[in-house]
Amino acid sequence: MNILVLGGGGREHAISWALAKSPRCTELYVAPGNGGTANIARNVKDLNAEDAQAVLAFAQAHNIELVVIGPEAPLVAGVADVLREAGIPVFGPDAQGAQLEGSKTYSKRFMDANGIPTARYQSFTDAASARAYCEELGAPLVVKADGLAAGKGVIVATELEQAEEAVRECFGGAFGDAGNTVVIEEMLVGPECSLLAFTDGKTVRPMATSQDHKRALEGDLGPNTGGMGVYSPVPIVTDEEHATMVKVMEQTVAELAAEGIDYRGCLYGGFMLTPAGPKVLEFNARFGDPETQVVLPRLKNDLVEVMLACANCELDQIELDWRDEWAVAVVLTSSGYPGSYEKGKVITGIEDAEAMENVTVYHAGTAVVDGQLVTNGGRVLAVTALGDTFENARNLAYEACEKIDFEGKTLRHDIGLRALRGRDAWDA
Ligand code: AMP
Ligand code: GLY
Protein backbone atom coordinates (compact mmCIF):
# COMPACT_ATOMS: atom_id res chain seq x y z
CA MET A 1 0.00 0.00 0.00
CA ASN A 2 1.01 3.62 -0.50
CA ILE A 3 1.72 5.55 2.69
CA LEU A 4 2.15 9.27 3.38
CA VAL A 5 4.08 10.54 6.41
CA LEU A 6 3.69 14.21 7.36
CA GLY A 7 6.70 15.97 8.92
CA GLY A 8 10.40 16.37 8.36
CA GLY A 9 12.29 15.77 11.61
CA GLY A 10 14.19 12.94 13.25
CA ARG A 11 10.93 11.44 14.46
CA GLU A 12 9.59 11.24 10.91
CA HIS A 13 12.84 9.71 9.64
CA ALA A 14 12.59 7.02 12.34
CA ILE A 15 8.90 6.40 11.57
CA SER A 16 9.59 6.24 7.83
CA TRP A 17 12.54 3.92 8.38
CA ALA A 18 10.31 1.48 10.28
CA LEU A 19 7.43 1.74 7.77
CA ALA A 20 9.78 1.23 4.81
CA LYS A 21 10.91 -2.12 6.28
CA SER A 22 7.38 -3.52 6.09
CA PRO A 23 6.53 -5.83 3.19
CA ARG A 24 3.14 -4.07 3.09
CA CYS A 25 4.68 -0.74 2.15
CA THR A 26 4.75 -0.11 -1.61
CA GLU A 27 5.37 3.60 -2.14
CA LEU A 28 6.34 5.79 0.80
CA TYR A 29 6.00 9.60 0.61
CA VAL A 30 7.23 12.05 3.25
CA ALA A 31 6.12 15.69 3.27
CA PRO A 32 8.34 17.64 3.45
CA GLY A 33 10.91 15.04 4.61
CA ASN A 34 14.62 15.71 5.08
CA GLY A 35 18.02 14.55 3.83
CA GLY A 36 17.55 11.17 5.54
CA THR A 37 14.05 10.35 4.35
CA ALA A 38 15.23 11.16 0.81
CA ASN A 39 17.21 7.89 0.94
CA ILE A 40 14.24 5.65 1.82
CA ALA A 41 11.16 7.49 0.52
CA ARG A 42 10.00 10.18 -1.88
CA ASN A 43 10.18 13.62 -0.32
CA VAL A 44 7.28 15.90 -1.20
CA LYS A 45 8.81 19.26 -0.42
CA ASP A 46 6.07 21.49 -1.73
CA LEU A 47 3.15 19.91 0.16
CA ASN A 48 2.18 22.02 3.17
CA ALA A 49 1.49 19.44 5.90
CA GLU A 50 -0.77 21.87 7.77
CA ASP A 51 -3.04 22.48 4.78
CA ALA A 52 -5.70 19.79 5.17
CA GLN A 53 -7.22 20.24 1.72
CA ALA A 54 -3.81 20.06 0.03
CA VAL A 55 -2.94 16.89 1.98
CA LEU A 56 -6.29 15.34 1.05
CA ALA A 57 -5.79 16.18 -2.64
CA PHE A 58 -2.31 14.63 -2.59
CA ALA A 59 -3.55 11.51 -0.79
CA GLN A 60 -6.36 11.00 -3.28
CA ALA A 61 -4.11 11.60 -6.29
CA HIS A 62 -1.53 9.05 -5.06
CA ASN A 63 -3.84 6.29 -3.77
CA ILE A 64 -2.65 6.75 -0.20
CA GLU A 65 -4.12 4.12 2.12
CA LEU A 66 -2.53 5.32 5.34
CA VAL A 67 -1.50 8.82 6.45
CA VAL A 68 0.80 9.07 9.46
CA ILE A 69 0.90 12.51 11.07
CA GLY A 70 4.22 13.12 12.83
CA PRO A 71 4.17 16.64 14.32
CA GLU A 72 1.60 18.41 16.49
CA ALA A 73 0.85 21.39 14.24
CA PRO A 74 -1.11 19.49 11.52
CA LEU A 75 -2.98 17.58 14.24
CA VAL A 76 -4.03 20.79 15.99
CA ALA A 77 -4.92 22.24 12.56
CA GLY A 78 -7.40 19.39 12.01
CA VAL A 79 -5.70 17.56 9.15
CA ALA A 80 -6.74 14.17 10.59
CA ASP A 81 -10.40 15.26 10.74
CA VAL A 82 -10.51 16.12 7.03
CA LEU A 83 -8.73 12.91 5.92
CA ARG A 84 -10.89 10.67 8.11
CA GLU A 85 -14.03 12.40 6.88
CA ALA A 86 -12.93 11.50 3.34
CA GLY A 87 -12.46 7.85 4.35
CA ILE A 88 -8.66 7.76 4.41
CA PRO A 89 -7.15 5.83 7.35
CA VAL A 90 -5.11 8.18 9.54
CA PHE A 91 -2.66 7.60 12.36
CA GLY A 92 -3.11 10.69 14.55
CA PRO A 93 -5.98 12.17 16.60
CA ASP A 94 -8.57 14.71 15.48
CA ALA A 95 -8.16 18.39 16.37
CA GLN A 96 -10.20 17.91 19.54
CA GLY A 97 -7.94 15.11 20.81
CA ALA A 98 -4.86 17.13 19.85
CA GLN A 99 -5.96 19.86 22.28
CA LEU A 100 -4.45 17.69 25.00
CA GLU A 101 -1.15 18.99 23.62
CA GLY A 102 -2.30 22.16 21.86
CA SER A 103 -3.52 23.87 25.02
CA LYS A 104 -1.84 23.35 28.37
CA THR A 105 -4.86 24.91 30.09
CA TYR A 106 -7.19 22.37 28.45
CA SER A 107 -4.81 19.56 29.35
CA LYS A 108 -4.48 20.62 33.01
CA ARG A 109 -8.26 21.00 33.33
CA PHE A 110 -8.74 17.55 31.81
CA MET A 111 -6.30 16.06 34.32
CA ASP A 112 -7.88 17.84 37.29
CA ALA A 113 -11.38 16.84 36.24
CA ASN A 114 -10.34 13.19 36.01
CA GLY A 115 -8.11 12.94 39.06
CA ILE A 116 -4.94 12.37 37.01
CA PRO A 117 -1.91 13.26 39.16
CA THR A 118 -0.17 16.44 37.97
CA ALA A 119 1.47 19.60 39.36
CA ARG A 120 -0.73 22.19 41.12
CA TYR A 121 -1.41 25.06 38.68
CA GLN A 122 -3.41 28.06 37.59
CA SER A 123 -3.97 29.59 34.19
CA PHE A 124 -3.86 33.35 33.41
CA THR A 125 -4.59 35.78 30.62
CA ASP A 126 -3.08 38.86 32.30
CA ALA A 127 0.36 39.54 33.73
CA ALA A 128 -0.67 41.12 37.04
CA SER A 129 -2.71 38.10 38.21
CA ALA A 130 0.00 35.73 36.93
CA ARG A 131 2.65 37.58 38.95
CA ALA A 132 0.45 37.54 42.06
CA TYR A 133 0.12 33.74 41.77
CA CYS A 134 3.90 33.40 41.35
CA GLU A 135 4.32 35.24 44.65
CA GLU A 136 1.70 33.08 46.32
CA LEU A 137 3.38 29.82 45.17
CA GLY A 138 6.93 31.09 45.73
CA ALA A 139 10.02 29.86 43.84
CA PRO A 140 10.90 27.38 42.46
CA LEU A 141 8.03 27.34 39.99
CA VAL A 142 7.35 26.72 36.32
CA VAL A 143 5.96 29.18 33.75
CA LYS A 144 4.48 27.76 30.54
CA ALA A 145 3.13 29.35 27.40
CA ASP A 146 -0.30 27.75 26.88
CA GLY A 147 0.04 26.93 23.18
CA LEU A 148 2.52 25.19 20.91
CA ALA A 149 6.10 26.50 21.23
CA ALA A 150 8.29 23.68 19.86
CA GLY A 151 9.32 22.52 23.35
CA LYS A 152 10.72 25.95 24.20
CA GLY A 153 7.76 27.62 25.94
CA VAL A 154 8.51 26.20 29.39
CA ILE A 155 10.65 28.09 31.89
CA VAL A 156 11.66 26.38 35.12
CA ALA A 157 12.37 29.31 37.47
CA THR A 158 14.47 28.82 40.58
CA GLU A 159 14.03 32.48 41.64
CA LEU A 160 10.88 34.58 41.78
CA GLU A 161 12.46 37.29 39.59
CA GLN A 162 13.13 34.69 36.89
CA ALA A 163 9.48 33.63 36.97
CA GLU A 164 8.34 37.23 36.70
CA GLU A 165 10.67 37.78 33.76
CA ALA A 166 9.22 34.65 32.09
CA VAL A 167 5.68 35.95 32.61
CA ARG A 168 6.71 39.26 31.03
CA GLU A 169 8.27 37.45 28.08
CA CYS A 170 5.23 35.24 27.48
CA PHE A 171 2.75 38.11 27.53
CA GLY A 172 5.26 40.23 25.57
CA GLY A 173 4.97 37.87 22.62
CA ALA A 174 8.18 35.81 22.95
CA PHE A 175 6.17 32.71 21.98
CA GLY A 176 3.69 34.46 19.72
CA ASP A 177 0.01 33.73 20.32
CA ALA A 178 1.02 30.59 22.23
CA GLY A 179 1.88 32.91 25.15
CA ASN A 180 -1.41 34.84 25.29
CA THR A 181 -2.42 32.48 28.06
CA VAL A 182 0.15 31.43 30.65
CA VAL A 183 0.07 28.41 32.95
CA ILE A 184 1.97 28.65 36.22
CA GLU A 185 2.59 25.52 38.24
CA GLU A 186 4.56 24.15 41.15
CA MET A 187 7.94 22.61 40.32
CA LEU A 188 8.09 18.83 40.56
CA VAL A 189 11.31 16.97 41.25
CA GLY A 190 12.49 13.52 40.27
CA PRO A 191 13.63 11.64 37.17
CA GLU A 192 11.53 12.17 34.04
CA CYS A 193 10.10 9.28 32.06
CA SER A 194 8.17 9.25 28.80
CA LEU A 195 5.60 6.56 28.18
CA LEU A 196 4.19 6.50 24.66
CA ALA A 197 1.20 4.38 23.81
CA PHE A 198 -0.52 3.24 20.65
CA THR A 199 -4.26 3.59 20.86
CA ASP A 200 -7.32 3.21 18.64
CA GLY A 201 -9.51 5.08 21.11
CA LYS A 202 -10.46 1.92 23.00
CA THR A 203 -7.45 -0.37 23.35
CA VAL A 204 -4.18 1.04 24.73
CA ARG A 205 -0.84 -0.64 23.98
CA PRO A 206 1.96 1.05 25.95
CA MET A 207 5.34 1.18 24.26
CA ALA A 208 8.70 0.77 25.99
CA THR A 209 9.65 3.57 28.41
CA SER A 210 12.17 6.21 27.35
CA GLN A 211 13.88 9.21 28.88
CA ASP A 212 14.64 12.44 27.05
CA HIS A 213 17.20 15.04 28.14
CA LYS A 214 15.42 18.36 27.65
CA ARG A 215 18.04 20.85 28.82
CA ALA A 216 20.63 22.22 26.41
CA LEU A 217 23.69 21.80 28.63
CA GLU A 218 25.43 18.98 30.46
CA GLY A 219 24.30 18.41 34.04
CA ASP A 220 20.72 19.28 32.98
CA LEU A 221 21.54 22.99 32.91
CA GLY A 222 20.64 25.66 30.38
CA PRO A 223 17.36 26.32 28.59
CA ASN A 224 14.81 23.68 27.57
CA THR A 225 15.16 22.32 24.04
CA GLY A 226 13.25 19.89 21.86
CA GLY A 227 15.47 17.10 23.30
CA MET A 228 19.24 16.51 23.34
CA GLY A 229 19.43 12.74 23.80
CA VAL A 230 17.36 9.79 24.93
CA TYR A 231 17.42 6.11 25.87
CA SER A 232 15.05 3.18 26.16
CA PRO A 233 14.02 1.43 28.31
CA VAL A 234 14.49 3.51 31.47
CA PRO A 235 16.39 1.31 33.94
CA ILE A 236 15.52 3.29 37.07
CA VAL A 237 11.71 2.96 36.86
CA THR A 238 10.21 0.68 39.51
CA ASP A 239 7.47 -1.85 38.64
CA GLU A 240 5.06 0.11 40.79
CA GLU A 241 5.81 3.38 38.97
CA HIS A 242 5.43 1.65 35.63
CA ALA A 243 2.05 0.23 36.62
CA THR A 244 0.87 3.71 37.70
CA MET A 245 1.96 5.25 34.38
CA VAL A 246 0.19 2.54 32.37
CA LYS A 247 -2.96 3.10 34.44
CA VAL A 248 -2.82 6.84 33.73
CA MET A 249 -2.53 6.21 29.98
CA GLU A 250 -5.48 3.78 30.01
CA GLN A 251 -7.57 6.11 32.13
CA THR A 252 -6.79 9.06 29.85
CA VAL A 253 -7.95 7.24 26.71
CA ALA A 254 -11.08 6.03 28.51
CA GLU A 255 -11.93 9.57 29.71
CA LEU A 256 -11.31 10.99 26.22
CA ALA A 257 -13.70 8.40 24.79
CA ALA A 258 -16.25 9.27 27.48
CA GLU A 259 -16.04 12.90 26.31
CA GLY A 260 -16.78 11.74 22.77
CA ILE A 261 -13.19 12.24 21.55
CA ASP A 262 -12.10 9.63 19.03
CA TYR A 263 -8.36 9.40 19.73
CA ARG A 264 -6.45 7.18 17.28
CA GLY A 265 -2.69 7.42 17.13
CA CYS A 266 0.08 7.88 19.66
CA LEU A 267 -0.59 9.32 23.10
CA TYR A 268 2.58 10.57 24.77
CA GLY A 269 2.66 10.80 28.55
CA GLY A 270 5.53 12.86 29.99
CA PHE A 271 5.91 11.90 33.66
CA MET A 272 7.95 13.10 36.62
CA LEU A 273 8.71 10.24 39.02
CA THR A 274 8.19 12.20 42.25
CA PRO A 275 8.54 10.80 45.78
CA ALA A 276 4.71 10.83 45.86
CA GLY A 277 4.53 8.72 42.67
CA PRO A 278 4.49 9.51 38.94
CA LYS A 279 2.82 12.80 37.98
CA VAL A 280 2.00 13.97 34.45
CA LEU A 281 4.11 16.91 33.23
CA GLU A 282 2.39 17.01 29.86
CA PHE A 283 0.53 15.00 27.27
CA ASN A 284 1.52 15.12 23.63
CA ALA A 285 -0.74 14.00 20.82
CA ARG A 286 2.07 12.37 18.79
CA PHE A 287 5.31 10.46 19.02
CA GLY A 288 8.16 12.15 20.91
CA ASP A 289 11.23 13.50 19.20
CA PRO A 290 13.84 12.12 19.92
CA GLU A 291 11.99 9.36 21.91
CA THR A 292 10.86 7.73 18.64
CA GLN A 293 14.50 7.30 17.60
CA VAL A 294 15.06 4.83 20.47
CA VAL A 295 11.59 3.32 20.85
CA LEU A 296 10.83 2.25 17.28
CA PRO A 297 14.22 0.55 16.65
CA ARG A 298 13.32 -1.73 19.59
CA LEU A 299 9.85 -2.61 18.27
CA LYS A 300 9.75 -6.01 16.56
CA ASN A 301 6.23 -5.65 15.12
CA ASP A 302 5.49 -4.52 11.59
CA LEU A 303 4.78 -0.79 12.14
CA VAL A 304 2.38 -0.62 9.18
CA GLU A 305 0.19 -3.25 10.81
CA VAL A 306 0.23 -1.54 14.19
CA MET A 307 -0.56 1.90 12.78
CA LEU A 308 -3.31 0.55 10.53
CA ALA A 309 -4.83 -1.22 13.51
CA CYS A 310 -4.90 2.12 15.37
CA ALA A 311 -6.43 3.90 12.38
CA ASN A 312 -9.07 1.19 11.85
CA CYS A 313 -9.92 0.53 15.52
CA GLU A 314 -8.51 -3.01 15.55
CA LEU A 315 -5.70 -2.60 18.03
CA ASP A 316 -7.15 -5.33 20.26
CA GLN A 317 -5.87 -7.76 17.59
CA ILE A 318 -2.24 -6.74 18.20
CA GLU A 319 0.28 -7.48 20.95
CA LEU A 320 3.54 -5.56 20.92
CA ASP A 321 6.86 -7.35 20.95
CA TRP A 322 10.12 -5.65 22.01
CA ARG A 323 13.78 -6.41 21.43
CA ASP A 324 15.83 -7.03 24.57
CA GLU A 325 18.60 -4.66 23.51
CA TRP A 326 18.98 -1.22 25.05
CA ALA A 327 18.91 1.84 22.83
CA VAL A 328 20.69 5.16 23.36
CA ALA A 329 20.50 8.16 21.02
CA VAL A 330 22.67 11.25 21.16
CA VAL A 331 21.45 14.36 19.34
CA LEU A 332 23.99 16.41 17.38
CA THR A 333 22.93 20.06 17.23
CA SER A 334 24.04 23.24 15.49
CA SER A 335 26.06 25.55 17.73
CA GLY A 336 23.72 28.14 19.29
CA TYR A 337 20.60 25.92 19.45
CA PRO A 338 17.99 26.43 21.00
CA GLY A 339 18.86 30.08 20.23
CA SER A 340 19.87 31.21 16.76
CA TYR A 341 22.27 29.10 14.69
CA GLU A 342 23.66 28.89 11.18
CA LYS A 343 22.49 26.47 8.50
CA GLY A 344 24.08 25.04 5.38
CA LYS A 345 27.17 23.41 6.95
CA VAL A 346 28.44 20.33 5.09
CA ILE A 347 27.97 17.07 7.05
CA THR A 348 30.51 14.25 6.70
CA GLY A 349 31.01 10.80 8.22
CA ILE A 350 27.46 9.45 8.42
CA GLU A 351 28.38 6.42 6.26
CA ASP A 352 31.28 5.62 8.59
CA ALA A 353 29.00 5.83 11.62
CA GLU A 354 26.35 3.64 9.99
CA ALA A 355 28.96 1.10 8.92
CA MET A 356 29.23 0.25 12.63
CA GLU A 357 27.01 -2.67 13.57
CA ASN A 358 23.86 -1.66 15.51
CA VAL A 359 24.18 2.04 14.70
CA THR A 360 21.53 4.07 12.83
CA VAL A 361 21.76 7.79 12.15
CA TYR A 362 18.38 9.52 12.00
CA HIS A 363 18.31 12.87 10.24
CA ALA A 364 16.45 15.80 11.79
CA GLY A 365 17.61 19.13 10.40
CA THR A 366 19.37 18.10 7.19
CA ALA A 367 18.86 18.85 3.52
CA VAL A 368 20.52 17.93 0.26
CA VAL A 369 21.71 21.07 -1.54
CA ASP A 370 23.58 20.75 -4.85
CA GLY A 371 24.14 17.08 -4.15
CA GLN A 372 25.68 17.73 -0.74
CA LEU A 373 24.19 16.88 2.65
CA VAL A 374 24.09 20.04 4.79
CA THR A 375 22.69 21.16 8.14
CA ASN A 376 19.22 22.65 7.96
CA GLY A 377 18.03 22.97 11.57
CA GLY A 378 18.96 23.23 15.24
CA ARG A 379 18.77 19.51 15.92
CA VAL A 380 20.70 18.01 13.02
CA LEU A 381 21.03 14.25 13.66
CA ALA A 382 20.15 11.63 16.27
CA VAL A 383 22.76 8.90 16.47
CA THR A 384 21.11 5.72 17.81
CA ALA A 385 22.97 2.63 19.00
CA LEU A 386 21.62 -0.69 20.26
CA GLY A 387 23.57 -2.72 22.79
CA ASP A 388 23.19 -5.80 24.98
CA THR A 389 23.75 -3.60 28.03
CA PHE A 390 22.88 0.02 28.70
CA GLU A 391 26.56 0.87 28.98
CA ASN A 392 27.47 -0.81 25.69
CA ALA A 393 24.68 0.99 23.84
CA ARG A 394 25.81 4.29 25.34
CA ASN A 395 29.48 3.78 24.49
CA LEU A 396 28.63 2.73 20.94
CA ALA A 397 26.44 5.81 20.38
CA TYR A 398 29.27 8.12 21.46
CA GLU A 399 31.83 6.26 19.32
CA ALA A 400 29.54 6.72 16.33
CA CYS A 401 29.09 10.45 17.10
CA GLU A 402 32.85 10.92 16.83
CA LYS A 403 32.79 9.75 13.21
CA ILE A 404 30.40 12.53 12.18
CA ASP A 405 31.49 16.10 11.60
CA PHE A 406 30.07 19.49 10.61
CA GLU A 407 31.01 23.04 11.51
CA GLY A 408 29.42 23.96 14.84
CA LYS A 409 28.63 20.33 15.82
CA THR A 410 27.50 20.36 19.46
CA LEU A 411 26.42 17.53 21.76
CA ARG A 412 25.88 16.65 25.39
CA HIS A 413 28.37 14.07 26.60
CA ASP A 414 26.31 12.99 29.61
CA ILE A 415 23.28 11.36 27.95
CA GLY A 416 22.29 8.43 30.17
CA LEU A 417 25.01 9.06 32.71
CA ARG A 418 22.74 9.64 35.69
CA ALA A 419 20.66 6.55 34.90
CA LEU A 420 23.83 4.50 34.62
CA ARG A 421 24.67 5.44 38.20
CA GLY A 422 21.28 4.15 39.43
CA ARG A 423 18.21 5.55 41.16
CA ASP A 424 19.81 5.98 44.59
CA ALA A 425 22.48 8.23 43.10
CA TRP A 426 19.93 10.23 41.05
CA ASP A 427 19.68 13.22 43.35
CA ALA A 428 23.06 12.84 45.01
P1 AMP B 1 6.32 20.26 29.07
O1 AMP B 1 6.38 20.80 27.68
O2 AMP B 1 5.16 20.74 29.86
O3 AMP B 1 6.57 18.81 29.21
O4 AMP B 1 7.65 20.82 29.75
C1 AMP B 1 8.92 20.60 29.17
C2 AMP B 1 9.88 20.22 30.25
O5 AMP B 1 9.91 21.22 31.28
C3 AMP B 1 9.57 18.93 30.97
O6 AMP B 1 10.00 17.81 30.28
C4 AMP B 1 10.33 19.14 32.26
O7 AMP B 1 11.70 18.92 32.08
C5 AMP B 1 10.12 20.59 32.53
N1 AMP B 1 8.91 20.79 33.36
C6 AMP B 1 7.65 21.00 32.93
N2 AMP B 1 6.79 21.12 33.96
C7 AMP B 1 7.51 20.96 35.07
C8 AMP B 1 7.21 20.95 36.48
N3 AMP B 1 5.96 21.17 36.94
N4 AMP B 1 8.21 20.75 37.34
C9 AMP B 1 9.48 20.57 36.90
N5 AMP B 1 9.84 20.56 35.61
C10 AMP B 1 8.88 20.75 34.69
N1 GLY C 1 11.03 14.96 23.34
C1 GLY C 1 9.95 15.74 23.78
C2 GLY C 1 8.83 15.84 22.87
O1 GLY C 1 8.79 15.23 21.83
O2 GLY C 1 7.91 16.58 23.19
Side-chain angles (χ1 to χ4, degrees):
M1 72 173 60
N2 295 347
I3 302 174
L4 170 64
V5 175
L6 299 182
R11 164 184 51 216
E12 287 77 24
H13 189 198
I15 290 171
S16 302
W17 182 88
L19 292 173
K21 277 195 315 191
S22 166
R24 299 189 60 179
C25 179
T26 319
E27 203 70 70
L28 180 63
Y29 299 89
V30 190
N34 61 32
T37 58
N39 297 326
I40 54 171
R42 290 193 197 198
N43 284 353
V44 192
K45 284 192 188 143
D46 50 2
L47 176 59
N48 177 1
E50 289 165 44
D51 180 343
Q53 292 305 329
V55 173
L56 175 61
F58 181 92
Q60 286 171 334
H62 294 81
N63 294 324
I64 301 293
E65 290 175 89
L66 173 65
V67 178
V68 179
I69 304 182
E72 56 277 19
L75 293 168
V76 171
V79 173
D81 309 52
V82 170
L83 293 168
R84 221 165 257 140
E85 182 77 28
I88 297 174
V90 189
F91 183 87
D94 294 353
Q96 231 188 336
Q99 279 304 98
L100 217 42
E101 168 165 11
S103 165
K104 291 196 189 290
T105 303
Y106 172 87
S107 173
K108 296 292 283 191
R109 285 195 186 132
F110 175 89
M111 288 188 250
D112 266 4
N114 295 300
I116 293 169
T118 187
R120 196 151 64 94
Y121 83 103
Q122 274 194 34
S123 178
F124 300 94
T125 50
D126 77 280
S129 324
R131 271 200 301 275
Y133 187 63
C134 286
E135 274 172 37
E136 186 192 323
L137 271 187
L141 47 81
V142 184
V143 178
K144 301 182 173 185
D146 182 77
L148 298 180
K152 293 166 204 157
V154 174
I155 299 99
V156 181
T158 46
E159 310 287 336
L160 200 55
E161 295 74 47
Q162 218 184 333
E164 288 175 345
E165 170 67 20
V167 168
R168 249 193 313 278
E169 278 188 16
C170 280
F171 285 118
F175 306 106
D177 289 350
N180 290 349
T181 300
V182 170
V183 169
I184 295 174
E185 59 182 46
E186 65 175 324
M187 189 182 91
L188 300 175
V189 282
E192 283 186 46
C193 182
S194 304
L195 182 64
L196 283 58
F198 289 107
T199 182
D200 61 0
K202 297 193 294 280
T203 303
V204 178
R205 294 278 184 250
M207 298 185 221
T209 53
S210 55
Q211 189 180 55
D212 189 7
H213 295 58
K214 297 256 168 73
R215 300 298 193 98
L217 305 177
E218 281 164 25
D220 292 323
L221 300 172
N224 267 324
T225 70
M228 298 294 292
V230 61
Y231 50 79
S232 174
V234 185
I236 54 172
V237 176
T238 66
D239 290 346
E240 196 185 346
E241 286 168 334
H242 189 260
T244 303
M245 291 191 289
V246 169
K247 218 176 99 207
V248 166
M249 301 303 281
E250 289 172 347
Q251 187 194 345
T252 301
V253 171
E255 301 291 358
L256 285 169
E259 287 187 18
I261 295 175
D262 180 14
Y263 195 108
R264 304 182 213 173
C266 177
L267 179 66
Y268 169 129
F271 292 88
M272 189 74 96
L273 307 178
T274 79
K279 294 192 179 182
V280 176
L281 289 171
E282 64 169 340
F283 284 119
N284 291 324
R286 45 149 182 98
F287 275 94
D289 189 340
E291 285 89 339
T292 311
Q293 291 90 309
V294 288
V295 170
L296 289 187
R298 298 188 58 242
L299 181 68
K300 286 193 195 167
N301 300 65
D302 181 327
L303 188 63
V304 174
E305 276 175 16
V306 180
M307 286 184 158
L308 264 184
C310 292
N312 295 331
C313 296
E314 294 167 346
L315 192 59
D316 60 334
Q317 309 289 316
I318 298 221
E319 297 291 338
L320 300 181
D321 197 8
W322 299 95
R323 292 170 67 148
D324 290 332
E325 286 95 334
W326 299 79
V328 176
V330 177
V331 174
L332 304 182
T333 62
S334 300
S335 170
Y337 174 80
S340 58
Y341 52 82
E342 292 180 17
K343 294 181 182 178
K345 309 295 179 193
V346 174
I347 307 169
T348 58
I350 291 183
E351 298 76 13
D352 295 340
E354 289 203 309
M356 298 169 75
E357 205 176 334
N358 293 323
V359 171
T360 308
V361 179
Y362 295 107
H363 294 226
T366 74
V368 180
V369 175
D370 297 331
Q372 258 185 332
L373 187 73
V374 298
T375 64
N376 191 39
R379 291 191 290 173
V380 178
L381 301 165
V383 181
T384 297
L386 292 173
D388 55 357
T389 65
F390 185 67
E391 197 166 11
N392 286 348
R394 191 175 177 274
N395 290 340
L396 187 60
Y398 277 109
E399 263 178 63
C401 285
E402 278 176 31
K403 308 231 180 241
I404 299 172
D405 208 14
F406 55 87
E407 195 186 314
K409 169 185 148 186
T410 306
L411 67 155
R412 274 182 61 167
H413 293 88
D414 63 344
I415 302 304
L417 201 57
R418 279 173 99 181
L420 198 59
R421 292 181 183 144
R423 183 69 174 262
D424 290 344
W426 188 267
D427 291 316

